[in-house]
Amino acid sequence: MLNGNNCYLLVAFLRMDFSTAVFHCRRPPVPVRWPLWLLLIWLCWHFAGQEGLYADTKHWVPESLTGMAQQQYDAKGAARIDAWRQALDGLADASESDKLKGVNAFFNRELRFVSDEKHWGKDDYWATPYEALGSDGGDCEDYVIAKYYSLRQLGVDTSKLRITYVKAIRLNQAHMVLTYFPTPDAVPLVLDNLINVIAPASERGDLSPVYSFNGDGMWLERMKGQGIRMGNPNKLDLWTDLRIRMNQLGMDL
C-alpha cells in the first residue's frame, strides 16, 4: 500500500515532474513491494516516450493551423489539416516503407488536383501543404512538397529524398514527382500523384527525368542513380519563397 511519499512520487512520475521525482527517489523509502517500484519505473518510461512523441507530432503540424484554416478557408479545410496531423501521428513508429506508402496514399487521396492558373491565378505557384489542404487543391508540385515535408518530419533522411522534375511522356508536359533512394546507388522509387503505386523509376517508362533537388543540393537527374550535382537549391526562387512561407507557419522545410 502506498504511503504519502510514494503517492507523491507516483503523481510526479505521471505528471513528468522529473526533478520532483528524482528528489523523492533519493529519500529513504518506506518499505514497499518491488513490483510497485517496477510499475513506477515503467510508467515513467512509457509516458515520457509518449510525451516526446506527441510533442514532435504537434510540432510537425502545429495545432494552431487548424484554427487558421477554419478562419481562412472553411470547416472542411480545417478537418483536412487535422487529418494530416493524425496521419503523421499514426505513421510515427512505422517502418520507412510504410511511411512512404502512408504519406503517398494520404495526399493522393486527400488533395484534389487543380492547376495553378485555375486555383491561384498564377502560372506557377508552390503552395505549402497548409495552403493546398486548406484550399482543397494543388498541382503536381504541391503533392511533392507535401510528401517531402511529411516524410522528412517522420525521420526519413533528406539524402534519400529528391524533388524531381520529369517530362510526362504520354501527357507531353512537364511534371514533378518525389523520388526515394533506399541507398545512394539504388534505382529510386517514384511517389507520383498520377498513379497510387510506388514503383521503381526503371518501371516508369512514361517519365523522362530532367533534374532534381532537395534541401541539400541540386542534380542533373538520371533516375537510375544519384545524377550529377549542379548547385544549391536556394538559387530556385520558388523554393526560397516556399521555405520562407513554411517557416512563417512554424514548419521547417
Side-chain angles (χ1 to χ4, degrees), residues 146-239:
K147 293 173 186 180
Y148 174 84
Y149 173 81
S150 297
L151 288 170
R152 282 194 64 247
Q153 300 310 305
L154 286 169
V156 179
D157 195 272
T158 302
S159 64
K160 294 183 176 182
L161 299 171
R162 298 277 184 85
I163 296 171
T164 305
Y165 263 110
V166 300
K167 179 179 180 180
I169 297 173
R170 293 172 189 168
L171 298 176
N172 192 30
Q173 65 184 34
H175 183 49
M176 182 183 277
V177 297
L178 182 65
T179 49
Y180 167 82
F181 292 78
T183 60
D185 296 326
V187 174
L189 300 175
V190 179
L191 285 69
D192 191 355
N193 65 288
L194 296 178
I195 63 173
N196 292 324
V197 176
I198 299 175
S202 56
E203 298 179 11
R204 294 298 306 272
D206 58 319
L207 303 179
S208 177
V210 181
Y211 75 92
S212 67
F213 67 95
N214 59 24
D216 295 334
M218 294 178 62
W219 294 263
L220 285 175
E221 196 54 71
R222 296 179 299 185
M223 295 283 277
K224 295 183 180 180
Q226 284 291 315
I228 302 171
R229 188 155 188 152
M230 55 182 278
N232 190 317
N234 291 325
K235 294 179 180 179
L236 297 171
D237 292 341
L238 288 169
W239 174 251

Side-chain angles (χ1 to χ4, degrees), residues 67-88:
M68 284 178 56
Q70 178 78 42
Q71 294 180 358
Q72 187 173 356
Y73 301 109
D74 54 24
K76 291 183 179 179
R80 286 188 291 270
I81 298 298
D82 274 340
W84 179 27
R85 183 182 301 107
Q86 292 167 13
L88 295 188

Side-chain angles (χ1 to χ4, degrees), residues 4-14 20-22 24-25 37 40:
N5 183 59
N6 290 329
C7 281
Y8 193 70
L9 178 57
L10 176 59
V11 171
F13 274 122
L14 294 178
T20 303
V22 169
H24 282 267
C25 281
W37 285 106
L40 291 173

